[in-house]
Amino acid sequence: MTRTQWIIGNWKQHKLRHEAEAFAKKLVADLPDNFMDREDALRIGLAPSFTALDVVRVWSRPAGPLWLFAQNIAAQDGGAFTGEIGPSMLKDVGAHGAIIGHSERRKHFQESTSLLAHKLKCALRADLLAVFCVGEELTARKQEKHEDVIHCQLAEGLGDLPRELCNERLILAYEPVWAIGTGETATPEQANTMHQCIRTWMEQHFGSRGADRSILYGGSVKPNNAAELMANLEVDGLLIGGASLDLTTFFDIIRLSIPGS
Ligand code: PGA
């Protein structure tokens, strides 16, 4: 099975509505006309803030050039939960999916592993795409405990995921915390090894439907390292923070990630 390739820009708490709209409009206009006709077409996604989802939505559509993600999602679909935004609301605004378990959510907002497991089920049950992030801190890497940490995050996040929810809507992202926003990137070999470790765990738990999931790399991806990361067999795409804020830079990464470019 050919795994879907993704380039997703995570804008974090950046860009007002007019900036988000102008970016999306120009990005779509600049993509080659035949972009979607290629057999190996990459899927391009943007994850703006909740407040800019609707303006980016205008330029996005499934099976079209641009897919729309929220950066977070509630663990339930409605009720007395002040400040929360759940799957129905995201679908209502036109989002196709959500990022879940980003290390900034885990660290700054104390999102627990059990909460993340609920968010994941909630998103997948609503037929949204879910980009589930895992990644180790620098200390774990230095102590050579990185694989243990990833196994633990996978077990806690996906351990009780019903088998039928491990489907094509589940996307994984390996984002070593020491590489996020630091300018330090995992080497292609490190990324490959960790993606293999994730894939093996997924296969052991979900069989071939687990092994077939797309696994993205995130952490200081830039135009100067995107191609060599994407050239890795195990790397099915990129989750990009800082470098997705500037259109030219983001576009360069897209261009460099097209096979054979
Ligand atoms: P970065 O962020 O590309 O700025 O390192 C990646 C991420 O947080 O997803």
Side-chain angles (χ1 to χ4, degrees), residues 99-239:
I99 298 174
I100 297 172
H102 189 281
S103 60
E104 286 153 15
R105 300 291 324 163
R106 293 178 191 256
K107 189 170 170 188
H108 303 309
F109 302 97
Q110 289 77 45
E111 293 201 355
S112 67
T113 48
S114 72
L115 177 73
L116 297 176
H118 280 110
K119 288 186 175 202
L120 183 62
K121 276 182 266 190
C122 187
L124 290 169
R125 280 199 179 111
D127 291 337
L128 283 167
L129 294 161
V131 183
F132 190 78
C133 305
V134 293
E136 81 283 0
E137 304 261 357
L138 186 57
T139 335
R141 165 71 55 179
K142 282 191 174 150
Q143 295 171 347
E144 300 194 357
K145 299 239 168 70
H146 41 287
E147 296 202 2
D148 299 344
V149 171
I150 299 306
H151 285 151
C152 212
Q153 290 176 349
L154 289 168
E156 287 165 341
L158 286 83
D160 69 345
L161 188 74
R163 208 179 155 73
E164 69 276 10
L165 292 185
C166 180
N167 56 34
E168 69 292 343
R169 285 186 284 277
L170 172 62
I171 301 164
L172 295 153
Y174 169 59
E175 295 212 307
V177 180
W178 48 269
I180 295 179
T182 58
E184 187 131 349
T185 322
T187 62
E189 294 72 32
Q190 286 172 325
N192 211 47
T193 308
M194 295 309 280
H195 285 220
Q196 250 161 11
C197 156
I198 294 169
R199 199 173 303 289
T200 305
W201 189 94
M202 290 296 292
E203 184 162 25
Q204 281 162 359
H205 287 77
F206 299 104
S208 60
R209 53 166 66 216
D212 288 344
R213 303 286 43 86
S214 297
I215 307 177
L216 321 187
Y217 169 80
S220 295
V221 175
K222 306 272 183 280
N224 64 8
N225 56 25
E228 60 172 359
L229 283 162
M230 280 298 277
N232 264 289
L233 268 187
E234 288 295 333
V235 176
D236 306 313
L238 305 169
L239 183 54

Side-chain angles (χ1 to χ4, degrees), residues 57-75:
R57 161 76 187 94
V58 175
W59 304 100
S60 75
R61 59 200 137 98
L66 199 52
W67 295 67
L68 185 61
F69 291 83
Q71 297 171 18
N72 188 15
I73 186 168

